[in-house]
Amino acid sequence: MRIFHSETHRRHFPQGELNGGELVTPFERPSRVEYVLNRLKDRGLTDIVAPDAPDRAAIAALCDPGYLEFLETAWDQWVAEGFRGEIIAASFPVRRMQTARPPRNIDGKAGYYCLAAETAITNGTWEAALGSAACAQSATRAVIGGARGAFALCRPPGHHATADMYGGYCFINNAALAAEALRAGGAGRVAVLDIDFHHGNGTQDIFYARDDVFFASLHGAPEDAFPYFLGYADETGSGAGEGATLNLPMAPGTPYATWSQALDTAIAAIRAHGAEALVVSLGVDAYKDDPISFFKLDSPDFTDAGRRIAGLGLPTVFCMEGGYAIEAVGINTVNVLEGFEGA
Ligand code: 6XA
Ligand code: ZN
C-alpha cells in the first residue's frame, strides 16, 4: 500500500490545549506520526512518499474563502495585534447572535471561525494543514490511478473541520477533499466511513444535503462525547441527501462485539447506497486505553475491522484522524491497514 506523509506536519505543534480548565500539552502532537511511521516500517510497509504540492483549487472549492483567508493570515494578525500566546478562541457567535458577520478583530475572527476552543493555532499551523490536505489529495490520486488502497498519514486531522470552521484539532477536512476528488475522478457515488471515536461533524455537515456522498459514522454518543452537538441517530441527511447520512452513536464502555455490529451495519448501508469508492476516516481512538475516549476496542480488533472494510471490495483512501494512546496509535493504525491488505 502506498503511504503519503508530509514532514510539514511538524510545523503545527501548539504548546497548549484547553482541557478540563488547564492548558495541557496537546493530545494531538507530532510524535503520533512518528509512532505510525515506525510501526509501518517495522511491518514492512515502506512505500512511504511525500505528497505532491497541495491542489489549492480543490481546497478553495471545498472551503469558504473568508475561512481560508483567516487560516492563512491568522498568526500574522495575532502577532501584529500584540498578543503573546497562541491563538485560542474565546468568544463565539452562539444562539441569537450575529452568525454572518465576521469581525475585523483577530480575536473575534478566531471565535467566528472556531467550533471548539481546545484547538490552538500557531505559527506553522496553516502550512501543516496544507501538507495534511496534500497527503489526502495524493493518496486519492493513487487510488484513482488504480491502487486498491492508499493511506494518507494526515496530521493535523480533518473530520471535525467544516467548510468554514476549525476545532477538534482539525482545520481542513481531508476526508471530504478525498471524497470530492474521487467524485471528480469518475466515481458516481462515494462513501465516507468514519471509524474515529468522535463524530465526524465536519464531514457530515459538508455532505448533509447531497446523495452522491454517503456518510456513515461510528462514535461516542453526543450526550457523552465531543463534539457534543451533532451525531445523533436521527440525523439522516436533508433534501436530496435524505437517507445518505448514517449515525451510529454508542455508549461509554462499548466493546468490540457491539462496535463491530455497528461497523457491519455501516458497511451494509454503504453497499446499499451503491458507492463505487470509499474514504475511511481512520481514527484509532476507539482503543480501550485512549486517554480521551470511552470505547473498549483492543489492538487485534482493529485488524478485524480492516478485514471487514475490505469486504466492501471498494477502492479505498484511508485518511488518518485521531488516536492518542501514543504507543498503541502506530499498532492500531497499521492493524487496520494490514487487515484491509490481507483480506
Ligand atoms: C476536545 C476533544 C477533541 C477530540 C478530537 C478528536 N476535548 N477527534 O480526536 O477525532
Ligand atoms: Zn477522535
Side-chain angles (χ1 to χ4, degrees):
M1 178 176 297
R2 177 150 288 193
I3 296 146
F4 295 89
H5 156 66
S6 167
E7 290 288 335
T8 318
H9 81 87
R10 291 173 202 280
R11 296 212 48 205
H12 175 65
F13 189 12
Q15 299 305 295
E17 167 179 341
L18 200 50
N19 180 260
E22 294 180 287
L23 270 181
V24 302
T25 300
F27 291 97
E28 202 295 287
R29 58 190 70 164
S31 59
R32 296 174 63 245
V33 168
E34 302 312 317
Y35 282 99
V36 177
L37 284 174
N38 288 338
R39 182 68 179 178
L40 285 166
K41 290 172 191 160
D42 283 354
R43 301 295 295 174
L45 291 160
T46 52
D47 186 6
I48 305 171
V49 296
D52 297 335
D55 174 354
R56 294 286 293 258
I59 296 168
L62 183 75
C63 298
D64 173 84
Y67 175 58
L68 288 180
E69 192 192 344
F70 161 75
L71 284 181
E72 190 163 4
T73 60
W75 182 252
D76 289 346
Q77 286 185 44
W78 188 258
V79 170
E81 187 75 26
F83 292 130
R84 293 199 305 269
E86 299 177 328
I87 304 178
I88 296 183
S91 307
F92 302 92
V94 297
R95 288 184 285 286
R96 294 179 295 287
M97 296 177 94
Q98 300 277 356
T99 56
R101 292 180 163 178
R104 195 158 33 232
N105 178 278
I106 186 60
D107 177 50
K109 223 185 274 183
Y112 183 80
Y113 288 117
C114 180
L115 62 87
E118 80 291 306
T119 301
I121 292 176
T122 65
N123 191 11
T125 295
W126 167 244
E127 289 75 11
L130 276 182
S132 186
C135 289
Q137 292 175 322
S138 284
T140 308
R141 243 172 256 132
V143 165
I144 291 170
R148 171 173 174 251
F151 175 43
L153 181 38
C154 296
R155 178 179 181 275
H159 72 150
H160 294 302
T162 68
D164 59 0
M165 284 182 283
Y166 73 97
Y169 316 148
C170 302
F171 302 92
I172 297 173
N173 195 312
N174 304 307
L177 280 177
E180 291 283 32
L182 288 168
R183 284 280 295 111
R189 288 184 154 203
V190 171
V192 181
L193 171 61
D194 191 325
I195 63 168
D196 186 281
F197 167 82
H198 301 92
H199 178 246
N201 63 284
T203 316
Q204 171 171 314
D205 183 60
I206 288 167
F207 297 117
Y208 204 59
R210 286 170 52 174
D211 67 351
D212 58 332
V213 181
F214 188 86
F215 175 70
S217 177
L218 281 61
H219 52 270
E223 294 93 332
D224 301 309
F226 184 89
Y228 300 116
F229 313 116
L230 211 64
Y232 286 89
D234 60 6
E235 297 158 14
T236 55
S238 68
E242 183 60 60
T245 291
L246 174 65
N247 281 312
L248 299 162
M250 285 168 277
T254 293
Y256 188 63
T258 309
W259 193 92
S260 58
Q261 281 177 17
L263 178 61
D264 287 346
T265 301
I267 286 170
I270 288 167
R271 198 175 281 123
H273 185 257
E276 294 163 24
L278 179 68
V279 179
V280 177
S281 265
L282 176 50
V284 291
D285 36 14
Y287 181 58
K288 61 183 172 60
D289 294 329
D290 192 273
I292 60 169
S293 308
F294 57 57
F295 289 166
K296 297 291 168 218
L297 272 60
D298 209 341
S299 293
D301 299 332
F302 287 96
T303 313
D304 186 67
R307 220 177 279 131
R308 290 180 197 229
I309 292 166
L312 274 167
L314 295 175
T316 302
V317 180
F318 292 90
C319 293
M320 187 81 215
E321 303 282 2
Y324 312 99
I326 283 292
E327 303 202 1
V329 169
I331 294 168
N332 295 340
T333 302
V334 176
N335 279 1
V336 174
L337 302 178
E338 288 189 325
F340 178 88
E341 290 248 274

